[in-house]
Amino acid sequence: MPFLCPDVPALEDRLAAGQKFRALALKDENPVGPRDLPPGEEAALLAEVAADAFAKGQIAVPLTGAETQARLLELYRRARSDLAEGGTNTLFLSAGFLRWKRSEDDAKSYRAPLLLIPVKISRRSAQSDFVIEHHEDDIRFNATLLEFLKRDFDLAIPELEGELPRDGSGHDLPMIFEILRRRVRDVAGFEVVEELALSTFSFAKFLMWKDLVDRTDSLRESALVRHLVDGPETAFLAPDAPGLPEPREVDRRLPPETLFAPLPADSSQLAAVLAAQEGHDFVLIGPPGTGKSQTIANIISQCLGLGKTVLFVAEKAAALDVVQRRLAASGLGDAVLELHSAKADRKTVLGQLGRSWDRAAAASETRWVQVTGDLGVRRGPRPPPALPRPRGAAACHRPAPCRSRGTGRAPQAPRG
């Protein structure tokens, strides 16, 4: 959505200071009226109205009121959806654009945003106007544009790749624009325009790609990553690894006092818990509703019980929320720190760390030892592994006579 702002650097400073802005629909104000003004005079009049609105905490929009509210509502819903699914803010005020053509005779021109100011829009009710305010994320320069200039035009701008220039009240926007102007002035068709627009921008895939490109050699130091790059069609097994645990081995290898899985699980799911505990790399596969998120919660709980730190990552925030709710319902909510969500502001993170610290200080092993000891008694001695037997012979693991289910008689081996 386009804006008319007489002083973009001042807008950035005032947003950073916590000021909120509303949109002013210029077409409803209609400052020109029925007059037929030359383009220069009309532009000057609109700039004057925009400057007056800016002084009153408004940003002028060259649209009608209905169009303005409709676009703000669309952006509001899109930003909320992106935040719910990806856990990151994607709504930005784009301060400045680079405009260019691929060739001098190209009829189409292209525009790329320069400085991205994170913002959020909200309203008190469905009948209220939207307000625009600063989001706590850091201002960033369009990293995709920098990579595009570097690869397609052999134009590197190191001054804008790291920490951006700052002035006494925030980022130095005039200096940033001037740096880019100096760099592109010798490239035909390139122009820096100080315009302002509001939209959603996502850099998730670009950042993933850049991380892979920049760190290819170091990532290949991992045996698992190297296998995925060089031989993904074959099964991965680390050198000297004994193989994944089998479900029938769970009771023997996981005594009650070392099992910290709070949610119900069958032997195959507990085998996955044991595999994670032992540091195996594996893929847990199952149709919807087969307990994958429940097993992940058990894996996290098991690793926490062994003093390990677990990073749980998902493409969508909904998957994180499901596991987090399961852990919280099991009494492990204070052991979980949300790093990448709408709740991951500084105050909330510090509060989570404080609750986790208090919980760890109050822990006691007495009750755990008692409960797991009782469970071990209920299980009784573990049977030895089954021995090979002739076909048709009865299976008996203990000296006492075996009983067949549903009868009171010992099973008889068939006579030869």
Side-chain angles (χ1 to χ4, degrees):
M1 189 172 77
F3 286 118
L4 294 178
C5 182
D7 193 342
V8 176
L11 173 63
E12 187 270 329
D13 293 340
R14 291 167 65 176
L15 283 171
Q19 185 173 345
K20 300 179 182 180
F21 288 84
R22 283 182 167 81
L24 175 68
L26 281 179
K27 288 190 176 182
D28 284 1
E29 294 293 317
N30 193 18
V32 177
R35 293 174 292 177
D36 187 12
L37 298 178
E41 291 185 20
E42 181 177 342
L45 180 58
L46 293 178
E48 182 180 343
V49 175
D52 183 60
F54 186 63
K56 298 176 182 178
Q58 298 173 312
I59 310 176
V61 182
L63 302 170
T64 65
E67 290 173 327
T68 299
Q69 292 304 309
R71 293 199 189 188
L72 285 173
L73 179 60
E74 180 185 355
L75 290 170
Y76 170 74
R77 289 173 174 170
R78 192 190 308 167
R80 287 191 62 183
S81 176
D82 291 344
L83 188 62
E85 291 188 359
T88 57
N89 176 61
T90 60
L91 187 64
F92 295 89
L93 273 174
S94 174
F97 287 83
L98 178 64
R99 186 163 55 198
W100 79 95
K101 293 185 177 182
R102 293 189 178 274
S103 61
E104 294 184 2
D105 56 350
D106 192 349
K108 184 179 180 180
S109 63
Y110 302 85
R111 288 158 51 93
L114 301 182
L115 201 66
L116 299 171
I117 305 171
V119 295
K120 53 185 176 181
I121 53 179
S122 60
R123 59 180 178 178
R124 294 183 178 179
S125 67
Q127 288 73 36
S128 303
D129 292 335
F130 284 100
V131 295
I132 303 170
E133 58 185 310
H134 192 269
H135 190 277
E136 70 166 7
D137 287 350
D138 294 330
I139 293 177
R140 64 178 72 178
F141 197 87
N142 185 353
T144 307
L145 175 61
L146 293 177
E147 185 66 28
F148 166 72
L149 294 175
K150 188 183 301 182
R151 297 189 62 181
D152 287 26
F153 294 92
D154 196 23
L155 183 61
I157 311 177
E159 302 96 322
L160 302 178
E161 292 182 358
E163 183 70 20
L164 296 173
R166 304 181 69 91
D167 54 23
S169 55
H171 288 82
D172 191 346
L173 269 66
M175 175 62 71
I176 294 172
F177 294 151
E178 181 59 27
I179 290 173
L180 187 60
R181 281 194 180 97
R182 290 200 304 263
R183 289 289 188 172
V184 303
R185 64 186 175 188
D186 295 330
V187 183
F190 275 43
E191 180 185 9
V192 176
V193 291
E194 296 187 25
E195 297 176 352
L196 187 70
L198 177 68
S199 187
T200 54
F201 301 92
S202 177
F203 300 93
K205 293 183 178 179
F206 167 76
L207 294 176
M208 184 183 299
W209 169 85
K210 183 172 176 58
D211 192 41
L212 291 173
V213 170
D214 293 346
R215 302 180 59 238
T216 299
D217 293 338
S218 59
L219 289 172
R220 287 176 64 89
E221 293 177 5
S222 164
L224 175 59
V225 175
R226 188 167 58 252
H227 170 80
L228 292 175
V229 174
D230 297 338
E233 67 282 353
T234 60
F236 172 77
L237 193 63
D240 302 325
L244 293 175
E246 295 290 339
R248 63 176 180 271
E249 302 174 334
V250 171
D251 282 349
R252 177 174 58 84
R253 297 173 59 176
L254 271 180
E257 64 271 15
T258 63
L259 179 60
F260 307 104
L263 300 174
D266 61 22
S267 58
S268 64
Q269 293 167 332
L270 288 177
V273 173
L274 179 59
Q277 170 186 317
E278 295 178 350
H280 292 283
D281 301 297
F282 63 95
V283 177
L284 186 66
I285 301 175
T290 54
K292 293 186 297 298
S293 62
Q294 188 165 304
T295 304
I296 292 171
N298 279 334
I299 288 174
I300 294 175
S301 176
Q302 180 73 14
C303 292
L304 290 177
L306 298 175
K308 297 182 179 182
T309 301
V310 182
L311 177 63
F312 177 41
V313 181
E315 182 179 3
K316 294 187 177 181
L320 298 176
D321 292 338
V322 169
V323 173
Q324 194 275 338
R325 287 196 298 269
R326 292 185 182 277
L327 291 172
S330 302
L332 294 173
D334 292 337
V336 178
L337 179 63
E338 294 185 67
L339 295 176
H340 203 57
S341 74
K343 303 176 183 178
D345 57 82
R346 294 177 179 86
K347 182 178 179 181
T348 303
V349 169
L350 289 175
Q352 288 179 313
L353 289 174
R355 290 191 296 272
S356 179
W357 182 271
D358 294 340
R359 180 181 182 276
S364 173
E365 296 183 6
T366 304
R367 178 62 177 160
W368 176 255
V369 172
Q370 177 183 349
V371 171
T372 55
D374 292 344
L375 180 58
V377 171
R378 288 183 184 182
R379 278 188 177 182
R382 297 182 183 88
L387 299 175
R389 59 181 184 272
R391 179 177 296 178
C396 186
H397 298 300
R398 297 181 182 176
C402 292
R403 301 281 180 182
S404 62
R405 187 175 182 180
T407 69
R409 304 185 304 275
Q412 303 294 318
R415 297 182 179 180

